[in-house]
Amino acid sequence: MFLINCPYCGERDQQEFKAGGEAHIERPKQPTELSDDEWAEYLFMRKNIKGVQFERWNHAHGCRKWFNMVRDTSNDEIKAIYKMGEKPPSQ
Amino acid sequence: MTKNLRVKSSEYIDETNRISFKFNGKTYHGFKGDTLASALLANDVHLVGRSFKYHRPRGIMTSGSEEPNAIVQINPGTNRTEPNVRATEVEIYEGLEASSQNCWPSVEFDIGGINNFLSPFFPAGFYYKTFMWPASFWEKYEFFIRHSAGLGKSPTSRDPDIYDHRNIHCDVLVVGAGISGILAAKNAAKNNFKTLLVDEKNELGGSTVYENNEFNKIDNKTPSEWLKKEIEELKNIKNLEIKTRTSVAAYHQYNYLLARENLTDHLEAKDKTNKIRQRLLKIRAKKVILATGALERPLIFNNNDRPGIMLSSAIKKYSEFYGVACGSKNVFFTNNDSAYESAMSLYNKGINVEAIIDIREQSESKIVKKVKEAGIKIYWSHSIVDTTGYKRLNSISIMKLSNDGTSVTGSKISISCDCLGVAGGWTPAVHLYTQSGSKLKFDEEKKVFLPNQNTSEQISVGSCGGDFKIDEIIKNLNQKLKDTLNINETDLDSIKVEIDQENSKRNIWLLPSDKPLGKTKPFVDYQNDATAKDIKLALREGFRSIEHVKRYTTTGMGTDQGKLGNMHALGIIADTAGVKMGELGTTTFRPPYTPLTFGTIVGRNVGKFFDIFRRTPMNDWHVENKAEFENVGQWKRAWYYPINGETMHQAVQRESRAARESAGILDASTLGKIDIQGSDASEFLNRVYTNAWSKLAIGKCRYGLMLNEDGMVYDDGVTTRLSENHYIMTTTTGGAANVLGKLEDYLQTEWPELDVYLTSVTDHYATASLCGPNSKKILKKIIPDLDLSDENFPHMSFKESKIGNIQCRIMRISFTGEHSYEINVQASYGKDLWEKCIEAGQEFNITPYGTETMHLLRAEKGFIIVGQDTDGTMTPIDLQMDWIVSKKKYDFIGKRSLYRSDTMREDRKQLVGLLTDDPNIILEEGAQIVSELNQSPVEMLGHVTSSYFSPNLKKSIALAVVRGGKDMMGKKLFVPMENKNINVTVANPVFYDEKNERLNA
C-alpha cells in the first residue's frame, strides 16, 4: 500500500485511488479516418514495462480528479506526479 | 508426583501470585509472569505435542515466537478456543486450559504414532506420488487426506470478542525492544522524533535483560543491570509510545507496517468481556528501525527432535528469566561459545551440567576456561550421532568428528541426560526486512544472510543487522542512528563497554552419524517432519530451485514458517548441489511473521458491518409488507412480495398480471441518477451516447445506449432534458458509479474544453414507478391539477409538479411496455410518496411488484438488461438495436469499433427470442443452445440470457444470444439439458404488444 500525493488533495492512502492504465495515449480526433490496424493500436495496445512507466490515476474515493504518475513498476517507487494536460517530466 | 523445577526467584515471576491452569485435563500451578511453556517446564512437562506427519512426541524447544513444536489448542471446546498457539507465547492466567494437538486419543498414547514406524514409506512428495492413480479416485483419497490433515481445531461457534483497527503515523518506528531497540527509541524520541516502540513480549529488554555473563560490562555494570536502568528512564521520555505484546506481522512498501496488539489474551475470562481483544495497528512510519534480534539455530543431527532437546538460549532464558530448570541432567551441544554461557548460567544456580559436546577443535575464550574450571566435561571435536528416549530424552551417544566434518570415527560414548541444549549459532531475524522489499546478502564468514540493499527509509540494528557482540552493537547502532536521524550526538557516545566474547564457530549444516543417512532422522523442519534426507531426495529427483524444494518437502511451510530450520535447509541444498549459499538465495519470507487471528484482520467489519449495503427510502414499507429482498450491487431491492405463503413463482405471476391488467408499483429509487449541467451538456451527450441528442426538446426524455470504446454495450438508461443546459441521466442500478467514473474520465482527460459538470444524485431522489392501464387514474388522484392528457403529457416526456407541498419530477417513461410514470421526489419524502400511491391505487388493486416481475415484464417486451442479456461482448448491432445507432453523427464513444472487421462479422452472437415447443417448459438461464444433437464435439451456438413463464402470454419466453441468430428466425434449435433435450424455435424478441399500443392505453 503506497502513499500517493494527489495534486489536489495531498498525500493519501493508495486505497482511495484507482489505476487507469498507460498515460499519454490521446484519443484520435478523427477515428473514422483510421484503418482497423491504426484504431486497434489506440484501442488495445498498451505497454507493460518492468521499470519506469507513465500512468493515469484517479482519486476515485476523494476529489475524483484524474492525474498522471511516473512509477517504477519493479518497486512501486513514485518518481513524479503531475496534472492532466501538463507535460511529463523528462527522464 | 511431578517435580518442581523452580530454581530461584526471578523478578519477572510473581511467586506470591499462584495460578492454576489445566493442560490436557490435568491441573498444574505456575506463577504470574509464567508462559504456558515455562509453567509446564517447571512441572517437568516436556512432552506437549505430536509432530504433523510422523506423530513423533515433541517438546518445548524455544522460548519465543519461533517455536515449532509446542503449539497447543487454547481453551478447547469453548467459543474462545484458538488452535496452533505457541505455548512459549501464552501468558498463563487463572482458569487457562490448553491441550495438545494432532494426537488421538492423547499426547501420551497417539494412534498416529504408527506413522513414525511407517516413515520409510512416507518420503518427500509421498502424497504427490501416491494419490495420482487412478485419477478418478482423487475424490476418495481427498476425503481421507482431509480428515488427517490440519493441526488444531477451529472454533465452531461465534467469536465473542471485539477486535479493532487503528491507524498510527509516526516519525520513527522501532521494532523490537531489546538493547538496540531501546537505545534507538530513546535517542529518536529525545531528538524530537515522534517514536513508537513495539515488542512482541510483555516485558521490555529482549535477551540482554537477563544477561549476566560476568565478563561483559556496560559502564561497569552487568548488561542486565545497566539495561534495566535504561528501561526505567524510558518512562520519562516524551514523544515515545511503547506497545508491548505487539507483534509486527507485515512490513509493506513505503514503510507501511501492520502489527497485532494483544490486549486481553493474558487476562482471566471474567476480565476479557466487553474489551477489545486484539487491535490491528496500521502504522505509517517515516523511518523504520528494525531491532528484531536473532534466532538461535539448532544443530541438525540424528533424532534431534526428542522432548528435552531445546535451544541452548531457551534453557538459559528459562533459568535466568523464569527461574526454571529444564532438566536435572543437562548436556549442551554446540558449535560456538554461547552454549558455555548457558551452561554457566545453570551451573551458577546449582543445576547439574553433565557435559558440553563441541564440534570445534578448541576455544580459548574466558567463558570456556570458566566452564573448565567449574569441572564440566568438554568433548572437543565430537558430535552427537544418536539420541534415545521416546517421550523424553534419556541419553545421547557421541563420536569423534573427522577433520572434514563429514564422518565420525572412534568409539561411541553414551551420556545419560534429560535435557540437551543445542547451539548452532545465530540467524538474524531479517523476515520483516525482506518483506519490505529490501535485499539480503550472504555473509560467508558469519554464515548468515544480512541486510544489504534498503528500499525504504530503514535501518537494521543490533543482531538482526549482523552485530552479535555488545560493543559492536552499540558502536554500529550509534553510527546508524546519527546517519539516519541526522543528529550529531547521542547517549551512546559516552557508554563504556568491556567485553570478552569470541565469535569462533565451526559451521556444519548436517552433522554425520555412524549410520548411513537413510537410516537416520535428522529433522530440519520440526513441525512438518522434513528431514535432511527428504531434502537430499528432492535434489536427487531433480528439484533445483529452493522454492521448489521447499514445496516438495514442505520444509518451512508450517505455522512457524521454518524460523529455525530454513538456514540448514539452504545449507544442505548448497552443500549437496555444490553451489554457494549466496547464489542459492532464500525462500520468500511472507507475512504474517506470526499467525494472525481472522478477527484481527477483519476488525469491526463483521456481521452487519461486513459489507456496506444501501436501502431505499421506501425500504421500511417493503419490510413491513413482507417483501423478499435481493442484492443488486450494494442495494437491497425488493425482489417480490409473497402473500399467504406464495412461492416466488406464484407471487411473480400474480404481480405480473396485475401490472398489465390494472396497476403495479415498483420502487425504482436505486437507478443511478447523474445530474448533467453546462453549456456543452448536449454536445457531451452526443459524444457519449450512440444516438443524437442535440434536437431533444426541453421537457422530453430519450433512451440512450452507451458503448465502450471497443463498441460493446456498457450501460443504458433514459435521459431527460430539464432545461436548455440541464439534463438528468439515469443509469442501471449496478452501473451508476462506473458510468459516472467513465464520464468524468472523458471530461477530464479527453474533452477538457467542454463546459459540463456531473453530479451523482442517486441518493437524493426516491423514485416510484407507477404502471398499468390504471396508472393514469391513480396519478390523477394524487395530483388532480396536472393535465395528464396525451397531448399535454405524452409518452417520453417530463413534468415538474407538486404532490401537496412536495416538489416532484414525473417522467412518463416505461420499462414494462405499459402506460407508466416514474415519480421522483426528494429522498426523504420517498416513503410518503409510496404510501400515497398505494392508498390512491387501492380501488384499482394496485400491486407492488419487485425486481423479478420487472424483469419478466420487460422480457415480454424484449427490452434488454445490460449485464444480463449483454456481457461486454455485445454491440448494439448484435442486440438488433441498429435503430439507436446514429449514422449521421461523426463520432461517439465506440463508433469506430462498430466498423472493425470483427464487430462486422455476420456470425457474431446476436440477441433473439426463443420459444419452447412445449409452452410449459421454462428454459434455464445460461443453458447452452445447439443446432445438432448428435454431433461430437458439439458446437455451442449460444446461450439463454433471460427466461420466464409469461402469465400474460400463458407460455414460456426466453431471450438468448445465438451465433448468426439474426437470420435464424423460425429455425428449430435444441437446448440439451442433463436428462432431456428441449426443442426451441427462434423468435422475435418482442413477445408482447409489438406495436406498442399499450403505452398510450
Side-chain angles (χ1 to χ4, degrees), chain B residues 675-701:
Chain B
D675 186 271
I676 302 174
Q677 300 192 43
S679 54
D680 294 316
S682 306
E683 170 61 16
F684 180 66
L685 290 173
N686 258 335
R687 295 187 193 186
V688 299
Y689 277 133
T690 60
N691 44 349
W693 288 77
S694 338
K695 286 178 191 153
L696 183 69
I698 294 167
K700 296 285 179 193
C701 316

Side-chain angles (χ1 to χ4, degrees), chain A residues 1-3 13-15 18 25-37 39-40 42-44 56 58 63-66 75-78 84, chain B residues 252-254 256 282 284 455 687 709-711 738 740-741 744-746 748-751 758-760 890-897 899-902:
Chain A
M1 294 294 242
F2 35 101
L3 284 176
D13 194 281
Q14 182 197 340
Q15 63 183 4
K18 225 169 112 175
I25 297 177
E26 204 181 333
R27 187 176 188 271
K29 291 272 181 292
Q30 284 137 350
T32 43
E33 283 158 36
L34 300 182
S35 69
D36 265 13
D37 285 350
W39 179 246
Y42 159 72
L43 197 55
F44 302 121
R56 287 153 24 97
N58 181 225
C63 63
R64 297 208 326 241
K65 280 285 196 182
W66 284 88
N75 58 12
D76 281 333
E77 190 193 333
I78 298 171
M84 280 294 159
Chain B
H252 298 293
Q253 292 154 320
Y254 285 64
Y256 178 59
K282 302 172 171 180
R284 287 267 183 207
T455 51
R687 295 187 193 186
E709 204 66 272
D710 61 7
N738 289 336
L740 180 68
E744 279 286 358
D745 187 355
Y746 276 90
Q748 289 178 35
T749 67
E750 298 294 350
W751 309 319
L758 307 175
T759 313
S760 167
Y890 179 70
D891 192 14
F892 56 82
I893 297 171
K895 173 168 174 138
R896 176 60 186 83
S897 290
Y899 304 96
R900 292 178 60 237
S901 54
D902 184 58

Side-chain angles (χ1 to χ4, degrees), chain B residues 589-657:
Chain B
F589 297 113
R590 289 195 179 79
Y593 179 67
T594 47
L596 286 176
T597 56
F598 283 112
T600 312
I601 296 167
V602 294
R604 305 259 175 185
N605 303 323
V606 290
K608 63 179 176 179
F609 302 117
F610 175 66
D611 195 11
I612 296 166
F613 53 87
R614 303 166 79 182
R615 288 174 167 148
T616 73
M618 291 81 142
N619 187 73
D620 287 353
W621 192 93
H622 306 322
V623 173
E624 282 159 27
N625 287 275
K626 310 275 184 299
E628 293 290 331
F629 286 85
E630 87 169 319
N631 296 330
V632 182
Q634 289 171 329
W635 287 102
K636 298 271 174 205
R637 293 198 74 176
W639 193 11
Y640 58 95
Y641 300 80
I643 315 176
N644 302 329
E646 278 176 328
T647 62
M648 172 167 159
H649 180 75
Q650 289 164 336
V652 169
Q653 297 289 303
R654 171 180 54 76
E655 290 171 13
S656 304
R657 269 196 314 273

Side-chain angles (χ1 to χ4, degrees), chain B residues 517-518 532-544 576:
Chain B
L517 181 67
K533 58 184 177 183
D534 290 321
I535 292 174
K536 293 205 172 204
L537 175 67
L539 291 166
R540 276 205 306 282
E541 291 184 1
F543 291 93
R544 284 292 171 270
T576 310

Side-chain angles (χ1 to χ4, degrees), chain B residues 252-263:
Chain B
H252 298 293
Q253 292 154 320
Y254 285 64
N255 281 348
Y256 178 59
L257 296 91
L258 299 175
R260 187 245 298 123
E261 183 184 16
N262 215 331
L263 298 161

Side-chain angles (χ1 to χ4, degrees), chain B residues 675 698-700 720-724 726-728 798 800 809 811:
Chain B
D675 186 271
I698 294 167
K700 296 285 179 193
T720 304
R721 190 169 197 174
L722 301 177
S723 68
E724 178 65 24
H726 190 185
Y727 291 83
I728 184 134
F798 153 82
E800 197 133 25
R809 289 173 174 174
M811 282 87 167

